[in-house]
Amino acid sequence: MKKFFAQCYIWLLLIVLYAPIVFIAVFSFTESKVLGNWTGFSTKLYENLFTGNMQGTGSLMTAIQNTVIIALIAACVSTILGTVAAIGIHNMRGKAKQAISLLNNIPMLNPDIITGVSLFLLFVFLHISQGYVTVVLAHITFCTPYVVLSVLPRLTQMNPNIYEAALDLGATPFVALRKVLLPMLKPGMISGFILAFTMSLDDFAVTFFTRGTIGLDTLSTYIYTDARKGGLTPELRPMITIMFVGILILLITINLRKIRNSKTDRE
Amino acid sequence: MSKRSTWALPYAIFLVLFVALPLILIMVYAFQDGAGNFTFGNFAKFFRDTDAINTFALSLEVAIENTALCILLGYPAAWILANKKLNKSAVTIVLFIMPMWINALMRTLATAELFHMLGIQLGKGTLIVGMVYDYLPFMIYPIYNILDRMDKSYAEAAADLGATPWQVFWKVQVPLSMPGVISGVMMVFMPTVSTFAISEFLTNNKIKLFGTIIQENINSSMWNYGAALSLVMLVIIGITSLLQDNKKEVSGGIV
């Protein structure tokens, strides 16, 4: 009985939570310009999205491209910068270590709007004209701390003797780094990369303040301007649906595999 | 191995340039007038600007209400999810975590459109409900995490010593899960108090929150006043994060 009520509560909450997205997904299969007005089943919006045959498409397609490219560059750079930094921080002691860890925590604790405003003021102060480069730099700023925090635990868990052994057995520091250290850090680097990538994809406020006035749009800023103009571009509905289904499949497969692995470990 | 510590140098320089210096600049700009002279004028302006003060109070109110509702709805959900007797399915856990991975603006827009279609007038009510929609997963996840890892023998020991299930819950499980609740509060309260686009979507620009005022000032080149308002927000954030001190270990590990 208790279990029944518990399950009811969970599923009720889930249904309410997912109602908006399901609603968008349902209405992505009709042609109507106005949301909530069903004019028969159609996949036209999907075709439009993929062929780019719609009004103002150029800008939606460019916004999607910008979002992905910025996220990729930011995630790659922060993974490299963050991993190198984590190795350095791991070997530091005392005050310097505390100071750098504190600075590393600030972008994660700061609300987006503060990060955005402060970087905006930095670029104004340095007279750097804002655009693509400043957005990428800003994204690297708030992504790298997550990489550092994903890689550091791997370093603390690692047995330092393995690295020393490689050196004793004649490996040069570079070979030891590539063959011993990096493989052990890889899981941390991968989860850091994924975190950085999704943080960058999701970002709105920081991009908003650092993109300048050259008309650079990412998906978030595109949606923002679009919604403020009044009508939501109908092609955003299939867009949202595709992203939603993609993430759902990805997360469920990752988690089911994790659970299956932990079960086989136990047996 | 010790000279490896120099590897942190590039990142240290990066942090000083892109994290420390920008924050110092907020302070510098906040205490300057347009011509670059030192002044308290921006703060005086804020305290005399009833509009800004009211918005500030409203933002705090909305953030507190949202956080309270998220705890109220999220704690039982997290508790059920972590309880093996009540919930065996891993899929429900994934379903609760997933919204965290979807662009917040998209989710908010979808919520606003749903309200719109149901004929619900956009206003303060929809603002709060919409925010609970957006932030509930961020409350459930840290609480679930700590409840899931909690050593079950504490609850068993309390029961063996004669505590009723209700007492076990309030005297053992709730106090032990407080670090999770605190992380949840951090993950919900701070973004709500500082949001700007979300409130505009959910109220059709009818209600402004503090973030919107900062954004409007920065965008209309009132940098000094905007910086002063940001500093006010930073103080609020600073006060909230004192709650957390070093109980940070729950937050990691989303991937």
Side-chain angles (χ1 to χ4, degrees), chain B residues 107-127:
Chain B
R107 281 189 291 135
T108 313
L109 199 62
T111 316
E113 293 284 348
L114 182 64
F115 287 145
H116 191 70
M117 200 202 66
L118 294 174
I120 298 170
Q121 190 75 31
L122 294 182
K124 198 177 162 208
T126 53
L127 176 62

Side-chain angles (χ1 to χ4, degrees), chain A residues 7 9 11 16 18 23 35-36 91 104 109 111 120 124 163-164 198 204 220 224 228 232 244 248 259, chain B residues 1 4 11 22 73 86-87 90 92 95 98-99 101 103 105-106 109 113 117 133 190 194 197 200 223 248:
Chain A
Q7 287 293 320
Y9 180 69
W11 284 102
V16 175
Y18 280 89
F23 163 72
L35 197 58
N91 291 295
N104 187 54
L109 289 176
F120 170 82
V124 168
Y163 179 82
E164 307 286 346
T198 45
F204 165 67
S220 299
Y224 181 68
R228 296 208 73 171
L232 171 70
F244 170 74
L248 181 69
I259 290 158
Chain B
M1 287 261 286
R4 279 277 190 70
Y11 187 51
L73 289 170
L86 298 177
N87 184 66
T92 44
L95 284 176
M98 193 178 71
W101 292 75
N103 195 309
L105 281 192
M106 278 189 190
L109 199 62
E113 293 284 348
M117 200 202 66
Y133 261 91
M190 297 228 272
S194 66
E200 291 164 33
W223 300 334
K248 237 174 289 152

Side-chain angles (χ1 to χ4, degrees), chain B residues 21-86:
Chain B
L21 182 58
L23 284 180
I24 294 169
L25 281 175
I26 286 192
M27 282 177 230
V28 171
Y29 274 87
F31 287 103
Q32 275 183 353
D33 59 16
N37 302 314
F38 178 82
T39 175
F40 285 109
N42 299 313
F43 294 98
K45 186 179 168 189
F46 170 63
F47 286 112
R48 260 183 273 123
D49 186 350
T50 39
D51 209 28
I53 291 282
N54 287 342
T55 315
F56 180 67
L58 179 70
S59 299
L60 280 183
E61 186 199 321
V62 168
I64 291 171
E65 283 168 0
N66 177 32
T67 313
L69 277 173
C70 283
I71 296 179
L72 228 56
L73 289 170
Y75 198 98
W79 193 80
I80 294 169
L81 288 177
N83 191 326
K84 294 284 174 299
K85 273 185 217 134
L86 298 177

Side-chain angles (χ1 to χ4, degrees), chain B residues 150-207:
Chain B
M150 192 186 290
D151 193 338
K152 302 289 179 288
S153 45
Y154 290 124
E156 285 161 16
D160 286 348
L161 292 170
T164 62
W166 195 242
Q167 282 173 322
V168 172
F169 177 72
W170 281 108
K171 304 243 162 169
V172 179
Q173 286 174 321
V174 170
L176 282 175
S177 63
M178 277 324 273
V181 177
I182 290 171
S183 314
V185 169
M186 298 290 287
M187 287 170 89
V188 173
F189 182 80
M190 297 228 272
T192 350
V193 89
S194 66
T195 168
F196 67 102
I198 289 177
S199 56
E200 291 164 33
F201 282 5
L202 287 170
T203 63
N204 206 2
N205 297 327
K206 267 185 269 172
I207 296 179

